[in-house]
Amino acid sequence: MFEFEDEGTAGGRLGFDDLMEDRDYLFRLVNTIDWDAQLGAIGVVLGRNQKALQAVSANIDDLRQEAETYRGPHHQQIVDEHVDAMFRSSYSEAANSMAAIGMIVPMLESIYSQSFHSLGEMYATKGMEPHPHQRWVRAGTDPQRWNCQVYFAQGGEVRQDIISGIRQISAATDLVKFLPTDTADWIDAMLTYRNKMFHGGFEWSLAQRDQFEKQIAERQWERFFKSATTGDKPWIFYIRDEVIAEMPKRMEALLDGMGRFAKVLPFELVAIG
């Protein structure tokens, strides 16, 4: 153990814990994955894709200005090129949103799934039980009790529902106390959008479009999503640029919160031997 003179600590000595960041405590749950390296790679790709999208927008602006100022014999051709570029950009934005959600949500799921699986094994190994919560009462000895993709409903129903499952297990373990207050809403929104994009592609059925538009209004998700329209009806839904840009910071906050959660786990649970 290193020792430093520091008037702000008892006896001027710093222990091992004083040298660790909150995120470092994740090793107590999962020590075989480099989350920071994953997040760094995701950030690079998100930035590259954003630059490509900005180039598309710049080209559209150039065509618009040319269409507005040029009055020569090829004016209509330039107008048509501008319209075509705008149409194609709708699919470019959808592809950018698909790429972003396709990287960030699997990492999100992996953090939750592997961390809680490991935590469940720790409790089982030590013969301990988590503090009382309706999830544990409903789950009983069900082997899926630590699976965040499973929700235990009232009346004994067990269903595959990762959105509700993450909310429930986060509350049952008190993880929610260590995360930003809007984390659950952000996760709900990102998982919902991922499911629709991965199963419906860029252009969903008319019913799915109307349903998601209503869900956005009901959940106040306008800050996360926008849409291209046709005939005043939603056509293609996108994740807002600023939401994509902040995805790495969102994940950093999640990792930090998970680390703080792991830091205060009961000593008898994390003690070796």
Side-chain angles (χ1 to χ4, degrees):
M1 179 185 295
F2 295 100
E3 297 181 354
F4 300 86
E5 291 299 323
D6 187 332
E7 293 181 357
T9 58
R13 296 171 184 267
L14 289 177
F16 181 69
D17 282 357
D18 296 299
L19 304 177
M20 295 176 64
E21 301 284 342
D22 288 337
R23 200 180 308 178
D24 294 331
Y25 287 90
L26 280 169
F27 81 91
R28 288 181 171 176
L29 297 174
V30 181
N31 61 7
T32 58
I33 296 177
D34 193 332
W35 302 116
D36 289 330
Q38 286 190 38
L39 195 53
I42 290 173
V44 169
V45 176
L46 290 178
R48 187 170 64 214
N49 289 351
Q50 193 62 25
K51 287 181 179 178
L53 205 60
Q54 289 169 353
V56 171
S57 297
N59 179 59
I60 291 173
D61 286 341
D62 290 344
L63 288 171
R64 177 183 57 78
Q65 292 179 15
E66 189 173 1
E68 290 174 350
T69 58
Y70 177 74
R71 289 296 179 267
H74 304 295
H75 177 258
Q76 189 56 50
Q77 178 182 342
I78 295 173
V79 170
D80 290 343
E81 287 180 4
H82 177 239
V83 172
D84 184 56
M86 290 180 63
F87 177 75
R88 285 185 280 108
S89 73
S90 298
Y91 294 95
S92 297
E93 282 201 60
N96 186 53
S97 291
M98 174 86 81
I101 206 71
M103 289 185 290
I104 215 70
V105 167
M107 183 178 179
L108 167 71
E109 288 189 72
S110 182
I111 293 170
Y112 273 90
S113 296
Q114 298 201 52
S115 295
F116 282 120
H117 174 77
S118 175
L119 186 59
E121 289 191 331
M122 291 164 64
Y123 272 103
T125 299
K126 294 298 179 69
M128 297 172 58
E129 286 291 331
H131 65 76
H133 186 273
Q134 61 183 8
R135 178 180 175 93
W136 313 128
V137 175
R138 295 173 182 176
T141 58
D142 193 305
Q144 301 257 57
R145 69 201 308 255
W146 287 98
N147 184 349
C148 70
Q149 298 182 351
V150 172
Y151 176 74
F152 292 91
Q154 212 167 7
E157 179 191 1
V158 180
R159 67 173 187 263
Q160 290 288 324
D161 180 352
I162 189 170
I163 294 176
S164 298
I166 284 179
R167 274 185 173 269
Q168 188 182 50
I169 202 168
S170 296
T173 56
D174 282 341
L175 170 64
V176 67
K177 296 178 180 179
F178 300 89
L179 300 175
T181 55
D182 65 342
T183 298
D185 196 44
W186 179 78
I187 290 175
D188 287 357
M190 295 303 109
L191 286 171
T192 300
Y193 182 78
R194 187 280 307 269
N195 292 344
K196 290 186 180 297
M197 286 292 278
F198 276 30
H199 296 294
F202 295 168
E203 297 174 279
W204 310 339
S205 69
L206 297 179
Q208 284 291 317
R209 297 176 199 177
D210 290 341
Q211 189 272 335
F212 193 60
E213 183 181 43
K214 292 177 182 177
Q215 194 169 13
I216 288 174
E218 291 171 355
R219 298 291 300 271
Q220 297 182 335
W221 284 351
E222 296 88 350
R223 65 191 187 280
F224 299 135
F225 307 110
K226 61 180 180 178
S227 68
T229 59
T230 176
D232 295 325
K233 300 289 287 182
W235 171 33
I236 299 177
F237 288 93
Y238 316 111
I239 305 174
R240 293 187 178 276
D241 291 345
E242 60 270 24
V243 175
I244 292 176
E246 74 167 3
M247 281 180 172
K249 289 185 179 180
R250 282 278 186 178
M251 296 304 293
E252 287 177 354
L254 175 60
L255 290 170
D256 289 341
M258 191 73 79
R260 288 189 293 272
F261 166 73
K263 182 178 180 179
V264 301
L265 287 172
F267 174 77
E268 58 271 25
L269 183 66
V270 299
I272 299 175

